[in-house]
Amino acid sequence: MSTVTLALDGMTCASCAARIEKRLNKIDGVRATVNFATEQAAVDFDEGVTTDDLVAAVQATGYTATVDRADRNHDDEYRRRLTVSAALSVPVLAMSMVSAWQFAGWQWVALALATPVVSWGAWPFHRAAIVNLRHGATTMDTLVSIGVLASYLWSARQVVAGDDHHQLYLEVAAVVTTFILAGRHFEARAKTRSGAALRALLDMGAKDVAVIQDGREERIPVDRLTVGDVFVVRPGEKVAADGVVVGGASAVDASMLTGESVPVEVGVGDEVTGATVNVSGLLRVRAGRVGSDTQLAQMARLVEAAQSGKADVQRLADRISAVFVPVVIAVAALTFAGWLLAGGSATAALTAAVAVLIIACPCALGLATPTALLVGTGRGAQLGILIKGPQVLESTRRVDTVVLDKTGTVTTGRMSVADVMGDDDVLRLAGALENASEHPIGRAVAARAAAEGALPAVTDFANHGGRGVVGVVEGRTVAAGRLTWLRDEWALEPPADLLGAAAEAESLGRTPVWIAVDDEIRAVIVVADTVKDTAAAAIRDMRRLGLTPILMTGDNERAAHAVAAEVGIAPSADTVIAGVLPADKLDHVKRLQSEGRVVAMVGDGVNDAAALAQADLGLAMGTGTDVAIEASDLTLVTGDLRAAADAIRLSRATLGTIRGNLFWAFAYNVAAVPLAALGLLNPMIAGAAMAFSSVFVVSNSLRLRRFTPSR
């Protein structure tokens, strides 16, 4: 199967989207989902189908489609029409409603002012109605077009005939058009604002890059960069693509992607991510993933896919809209006939029929789900929460258990000094020695020592292949490394008290670094993957949401219980799963599900991918691997565990907004159509109410932009 996203043009309502979707899905080997809000079709198709076939199918329905998405802003179009129509409609309304302002021949002036509103202002609705009529279909625009034209033509006939005994509906035609244009304008604004997060993500990347070709640098646009190219990143520049450092060393600020404020030290062999910023040294990077394959592009696709997908609640609305329009037209026709048969005047019959057509226009129904999805996923992207698809919203509502991978999720995944045992001055000497090392453990020791004071210089530094390092500091020979290395190479033996302390640290999953000064073991520095500062707060947030947190780790039980207690999880067989092999994580998630639990899994590594995919809701840390991110439903870009609770809260809030929108849209139509048919609603009031319902749905969805994270 191949996948393509079609940019659609000409849709004006959810019925249009349903019709295009139905036409595409009639093609053998095609599965399509059309979203009215994003004006896109996400299409999966077999080898026997081409993109030309897909475009032709869309055109056959009366719309246009392109494979490459254009940057279209329909807000400008509707804003111009709305401004002109409102300016012309106000005097028409004033003359029609205030008898004191009705001078001789005012009807002709009102007709002249209303004509451009009905023709040019309402043209998008007429055009859509004509296009669909040619294919034997009706949409919500059909209702608008018929209602406006019926009001206008009836009134125009009365003015031309000079019949002043019947009420004119020029103000209805003009004001209804203006109200509906206002609804479309706010809808277009919602689309534009909701797409801002996606555009911001795409703008984060570098625009050009200095590539090394034939021994010299050449600056080229970033879209010309290919896999395998070696490019230069100077201090202050953005990394152009995902790749591996092949020359130089530096610190890289990845905060725009990961939320981590501390720059990450990188050297030869380390991976770097596109859009991160080189802080200090000069780097040479070999491109591994470019263009649409970079992590930044993947993040953008997650946002776009979420906004283009559909939840079950939206599919229900689309199915209803597909049959709603012809039913309403039939009701309007029966209303007109019923009033005449009941002895009512033609004016009363027409008034009731037009009111039915106007009030029943289910614009609010079509906007209920997509606007909430657009705003909710857009807000999530701004907060570093990427929702992979709208079906995720349903999953978050039912989750009752959260399984947390320890390393990189609950802990930082980076080494830092947890304890120093031995002579007080040893940390300063060891820090000076390790300051010349590039090993993560050595950097942790150097950072801790530097935090307590300036470090002296080191000479005669030597690295012994991962076993340890040695050098001269202030005239003293200092060695730091494994105990086995000090025993085998230096014939040194530690004091009993330090040996016991090191054994205790190792039992908790920590790493002891032995320090020898002048041929004597003087101290042991314990280095550990420390718990994230926000982990305990995240656990509390989860509990407030009614979730049960469970810690899962490959560490031994004692180490796992220590971490659990530190973050506020009472250690027990039910809340801590220790000694888990990577392949066993999937089985533990299945076991919890077999017990009737609805499980969310939070992880960051390749070994978490299967469990993330198996879980009812998978949440990947954005600081983790691509495999984990692809297997998850939600991505927490910042790496802050509190974002997990925020993601669930945002998803639940978005789902609640959708349900609220649908309720009011359905309730509005159900209650209003009978009132209109009985003649209890003036067409102008009906138009205002219909437009207000659309504005209400959009405004209700836009409230999600104010969603506030707990952090």
Side-chain angles (χ1 to χ4, degrees):
M1 298 289 288
S2 299
T3 300
V4 69
T5 298
L6 298 179
L8 306 174
D9 204 1
M11 293 193 304
T12 54
C13 64
S15 296
C16 302
R19 190 158 171 269
I20 295 174
E21 183 175 295
K22 182 178 180 181
R23 186 62 176 261
L24 286 172
N25 284 320
K26 282 184 177 180
I27 304 174
D28 291 337
V30 171
R31 293 196 300 272
T33 299
V34 177
N35 189 289
F36 167 55
T38 59
E39 298 178 312
Q40 288 181 313
V43 187
D44 296 326
F45 55 98
D46 290 335
E47 292 182 358
V49 182
T50 67
T51 55
D52 290 339
D53 296 332
L54 302 175
V55 171
V58 174
Q59 292 174 341
T61 62
Y63 306 90
T64 59
T66 55
V67 175
D68 295 325
R69 179 166 177 80
D71 185 13
R72 296 161 297 161
N73 187 352
H74 294 307
D75 185 24
D76 291 338
E77 175 192 345
Y78 284 118
R79 183 168 60 246
R80 287 194 300 270
R81 295 181 187 273
L82 172 61
T83 302
V84 174
S85 298
L88 296 175
S89 298
V90 169
V92 173
L93 178 64
M95 287 185 290
S96 301
M97 303 300 293
V98 182
S99 57
W101 293 352
Q102 294 176 353
F103 51 87
W106 70 269
Q107 299 95 329
W108 287 97
V109 175
L111 180 63
L113 293 174
T115 298
V117 177
V118 172
S119 56
W120 178 76
W123 175 244
F125 317 131
H126 303 324
R127 178 182 57 196
I130 293 170
V131 167
N132 287 285
L133 186 60
R134 287 205 306 263
H135 297 278
T138 57
T139 67
M140 287 177 278
D141 288 291
T142 307
L143 297 182
V144 175
S145 180
I146 291 176
V148 169
L149 288 176
S151 302
Y152 174 80
L153 294 175
W154 170 272
S155 302
R157 176 185 175 279
Q158 302 304 316
V159 173
V160 172
D163 187 352
D164 297 330
H165 299 291
H166 294 92
Q167 184 176 355
L168 302 181
Y169 292 105
L170 291 171
E171 77 281 7
V172 173
V175 174
V176 165
T177 298
T178 301
F179 276 132
I180 297 175
L181 285 172
R184 294 289 169 87
H185 166 63
F186 285 114
E187 172 195 342
R189 283 185 61 190
K191 294 178 185 178
T192 303
R193 291 182 181 180
S194 300
L198 178 59
R199 291 191 295 274
L201 281 174
L202 295 175
D203 288 342
M204 288 169 60
K207 301 300 184 291
D208 53 32
V209 57
V211 178
I212 300 176
Q213 296 180 341
D214 299 326
R216 60 185 180 85
E217 290 185 25
E218 180 183 356
R219 189 160 289 274
I220 62 174
V222 73
D223 56 7
R224 287 174 50 193
L225 187 69
T226 60
V227 174
D229 285 348
V230 175
F231 60 91
V232 176
V233 189
R234 290 181 169 79
E237 290 184 341
K238 292 182 178 180
V239 179
D242 300 354
V244 176
V245 177
V246 295
S250 179
V252 174
D253 180 0
S255 59
M256 63 174 61
L257 289 179
T258 67
E260 297 290 346
S261 58
V262 180
V264 179
E265 298 289 337
V266 296
V268 175
D270 290 333
E271 293 186 353
V272 290
T273 304
T276 56
V277 180
N278 183 15
V279 176
S280 54
L282 182 72
L283 292 176
R284 290 192 176 193
V285 180
R286 176 174 286 110
R289 289 174 299 186
V290 300
S292 60
D293 294 328
T294 63
Q295 182 177 334
L296 179 67
Q298 291 171 1
M299 292 166 59
R301 280 199 298 273
L302 286 176
V303 178
E304 190 169 18
Q307 296 180 340
S308 297
K310 290 186 180 182
D312 292 339
V313 285
Q314 183 178 351
R315 295 185 183 278
L316 173 62
D318 289 345
R319 289 195 297 269
I320 293 174
S321 295
V323 299
F324 187 80
V325 174
V327 169
V328 168
I329 292 176
V331 170
L334 290 174
T335 298
F336 183 80
W339 274 83
L340 292 178
L341 291 174
S345 65
T347 298
L350 179 63
T351 299
V354 170
V356 168
L357 291 173
I358 294 172
I359 200 71
C361 184
C363 295
L365 183 62
L367 294 172
T369 298
T371 53
L373 280 176
L374 280 166
V375 180
T377 55
R379 179 57 177 155
Q382 292 174 344
L383 298 174
I385 301 168
L386 304 183
I387 302 175
K388 182 171 288 187
Q391 69 280 358
V392 173
L393 305 179
E394 299 285 352
S395 301
T396 59
R397 179 173 56 88
R398 300 177 291 109
V399 166
D400 54 33
T401 302
V402 180
V403 176
L404 304 166
D405 173 59
K406 182 181 78 69
T407 305
T409 301
V410 175
T411 64
T412 62
R414 299 190 306 273
M415 293 295 184
S416 62
V417 174
D419 198 1
V420 179
M421 293 168 283
D423 293 353
D424 295 336
D425 194 45
V426 169
L427 177 61
R428 186 177 66 88
L429 297 175
L433 173 67
E434 295 285 20
N435 197 38
S437 172
E438 294 183 358
H439 194 282
I441 292 179
R443 302 304 297 170
V445 173
R448 171 66 178 273
E452 298 188 3
L455 299 179
V458 59
T459 59
D460 298 332
F461 177 83
N463 190 329
H464 290 261
R467 293 176 296 165
V469 292
V470 63
V472 177
V473 180
E474 296 180 338
R476 308 170 74 180
T477 301
V478 182
R482 300 175 185 269
L483 179 58
T484 54
W485 175 61
L486 294 177
R487 280 172 168 167
D488 296 342
E489 298 292 330
W490 300 71
L492 301 180
E493 193 65 34
D497 59 334
L498 292 184
L499 197 62
E504 174 74 12
E506 286 181 320
S507 70
L508 295 175
R510 298 176 174 179
T511 302
V513 180
W514 295 90
I515 311 299
V517 180
D518 292 336
D519 297 332
E520 180 183 357
I521 294 179
R522 301 276 299 277
V524 62
I525 299 176
V526 178
V527 179
D529 177 13
T530 56
V531 171
K532 291 180 178 179
D533 294 338
T534 59
I539 300 300
R540 290 194 296 270
D541 289 343
M542 291 176 189
R543 285 208 172 92
R544 281 194 288 267
L545 290 172
L547 307 175
T548 301
I550 295 177
L551 184 68
M552 181 186 293
T553 178
D555 287 349
N556 61 59
E557 188 170 306
R558 187 175 178 185
H561 282 194
V563 171
E566 187 173 350
V567 298
I569 298 176
S572 70
D574 295 329
T575 58
V576 178
I577 304 173
V580 179
L581 296 175
D584 295 336
K585 292 185 177 182
L586 173 65
D587 295 333
H588 283 288
V589 171
K590 287 182 177 179
R591 175 182 59 79
L592 291 170
Q593 290 172 326
S594 68
E595 295 173 358
R597 304 196 192 192
V598 181
V599 180
M601 169 74 185
V602 188
D604 74 322
V606 174
N607 56 11
D608 299 322
L612 288 168
Q614 174 64 34
D616 300 282
L617 179 68
L619 298 93
M621 308 301 285
T623 50
T625 64
D626 292 341
V627 176
I629 292 172
E630 289 296 330
S632 66
D633 301 305
L634 288 164
T635 300
L636 312 178
V637 177
T638 64
D640 188 337
L641 189 57
R642 290 177 298 178
D646 290 335
I648 293 176
R649 287 176 52 236
L650 175 60
S651 297
R652 290 179 177 180
T654 304
L655 180 62
T657 299
I658 291 173
R659 294 183 179 278
N661 286 348
L662 287 174
F663 170 79
W664 287 111
F666 280 120
Y668 163 82
N669 287 124
V670 170
V673 170
L675 294 176
L678 293 173
L680 300 178
L681 283 179
N682 180 280
M684 185 174 65
I685 298 175
M690 183 274 296
F692 174 77
S693 68
S694 295
V695 173
F696 171 81
V697 164
V698 173
S699 300
N700 190 45
S701 298
L702 287 174
R703 290 190 306 113
L704 289 169
R705 296 174 65 225
R706 299 195 296 270
F707 175 85
T708 304
S710 60
R711 56 190 189 280

